[in-house]
Amino acid sequence: VLSGFGIFSAFGLLALVLFYTRPGSAYSIAFSVGMFLFVVCLAYGAFKKLYYNMKINESIAIYKRIAYRDLMTDLGNRSAFIKEQERTKEVKNMAYIVFDVNDLKKVNDTYGHQEGDRLITDTARCIRGVFENEGKCFRIGGDEFAVVLREHSEKEILGKLDLFNKRLAKINEARKISLQIAYGYSTGMGTEKDAETLFREADYHMYVRKKNMKEIQHGQTEK
């Protein structure tokens, strides 16, 4: 903009000199050229400012995505889950499902962290395939995931978990190391619980199921 003012001033001064020394149309041409260059400078400045703002907004969007997304699974991360809980005021129409990958540490120690990472990504793929269009999916810990559902009856939740089991079985057909996932759910229908209490109940049910799965697995190993 300052450059435009400088150019316009220079051509304005030239037009003034021409007006007094060479009467005719020469001064108007100089003035018009100065005005044109001034407009060009203004347009360039506006475009540059717009481009800068676009890059800033793009950077902010990227930072927000990184802040609330788990990079390995592209699900919401723990920060996103906590934010979801904080803004949840009414739980009567919602439910939590908590998932946990069995024997992740054992797989990491025996087969390496690369294979353990595959357990995590396959779990996320399985969860996303069933629940992504139904609610919000999060990775809230190393091997722990959560899904927040709204307006789902217990019957609908059990139906979705049945689909989850079938999808998990399909994934295991292509895996050398079986992926075992424990889960538990809790629904707020007909209760006065807060979001934190509802989540803890789902988490507790998940650990009960996890314990039962390990006992069954241990019994099969002994046989």
Side-chain angles (χ1 to χ4, degrees):
V1 175
L2 290 175
S3 298
F5 273 118
I7 293 172
F8 181 65
S9 298
F11 274 88
L13 181 62
L14 176 61
L16 188 64
V17 171
L18 291 174
F19 178 78
Y20 286 106
T21 59
R22 298 177 60 184
S25 62
Y27 80 92
S28 63
I29 294 174
F31 183 83
S32 297
V33 171
M35 178 63 73
F36 173 76
L37 293 176
F38 176 63
V39 171
V40 169
C41 287
L42 284 180
Y44 174 76
F47 174 79
K48 190 173 181 180
K49 181 68 173 178
L50 178 63
Y51 179 76
Y52 173 78
N53 287 336
M54 288 174 63
K55 295 298 290 183
I56 289 294
N57 290 334
E58 182 182 355
S59 298
I60 291 173
I62 291 173
Y63 291 142
K64 283 185 176 179
R65 179 175 177 80
I66 292 174
Y68 293 108
R69 302 299 291 182
D70 177 67
L71 298 181
M72 181 184 290
T73 63
D74 200 36
L75 300 179
N77 61 16
R78 187 169 186 84
S79 295
F81 179 72
I82 292 173
K83 187 175 181 180
E84 176 72 17
Q85 281 189 300
E86 288 174 346
R87 67 187 181 193
T88 298
K89 304 300 181 184
E90 180 62 64
V91 300
K92 290 182 179 180
N93 69 334
M94 68 179 293
Y96 282 109
I97 308 176
V98 178
F99 302 84
D100 189 272
V101 182
N102 291 348
D103 299 323
L104 178 62
K105 185 178 185 305
K106 182 179 178 181
V107 171
N108 282 334
D109 294 341
T110 305
Y111 302 99
H113 285 272
Q114 188 173 8
E115 188 60 39
D117 288 346
R118 288 195 188 99
L119 290 182
I120 295 297
T121 54
D122 281 350
T123 300
R125 183 158 55 94
C126 193
I127 292 173
R128 186 185 296 112
V130 177
F131 296 101
E132 187 173 42
N133 296 324
E134 303 292 329
K136 297 181 179 180
C137 307
F138 305 89
R139 183 188 179 196
I140 58 176
D143 59 354
E144 195 168 2
F145 299 78
V147 171
V148 179
L149 299 174
R150 296 185 184 276
E151 306 297 344
H152 281 66
S153 67
E154 187 168 6
K155 183 179 179 180
E156 289 173 322
I157 294 170
L158 291 172
K160 293 300 177 184
L161 288 172
D162 185 53
L163 288 176
F164 176 81
N165 289 331
K166 291 177 180 177
R167 184 175 287 266
L168 179 59
K170 189 70 175 177
I171 287 177
N172 276 329
E173 289 178 2
R175 291 186 55 84
K176 293 181 180 179
I177 303 170
S178 179
L179 173 58
Q180 302 296 323
I181 303 172
Y183 56 77
Y185 71 90
S186 182
T187 175
M189 288 189 176
T191 71
E192 298 295 332
K193 303 167 187 173
D194 58 23
E196 181 62 28
T197 300
L198 202 65
F199 169 72
R200 285 200 303 266
E201 284 186 358
D203 199 45
Y204 171 77
H205 294 318
M206 180 275 293
Y207 275 108
V208 170
R209 186 180 181 90
K210 187 181 187 75
K211 181 180 178 182
N212 292 337
M213 290 174 70
K214 286 184 176 294
E215 288 176 351
I216 292 172
Q217 185 180 15
H218 182 67
Q220 290 175 344
T221 302
E222 287 183 343
K223 291 179 180 180

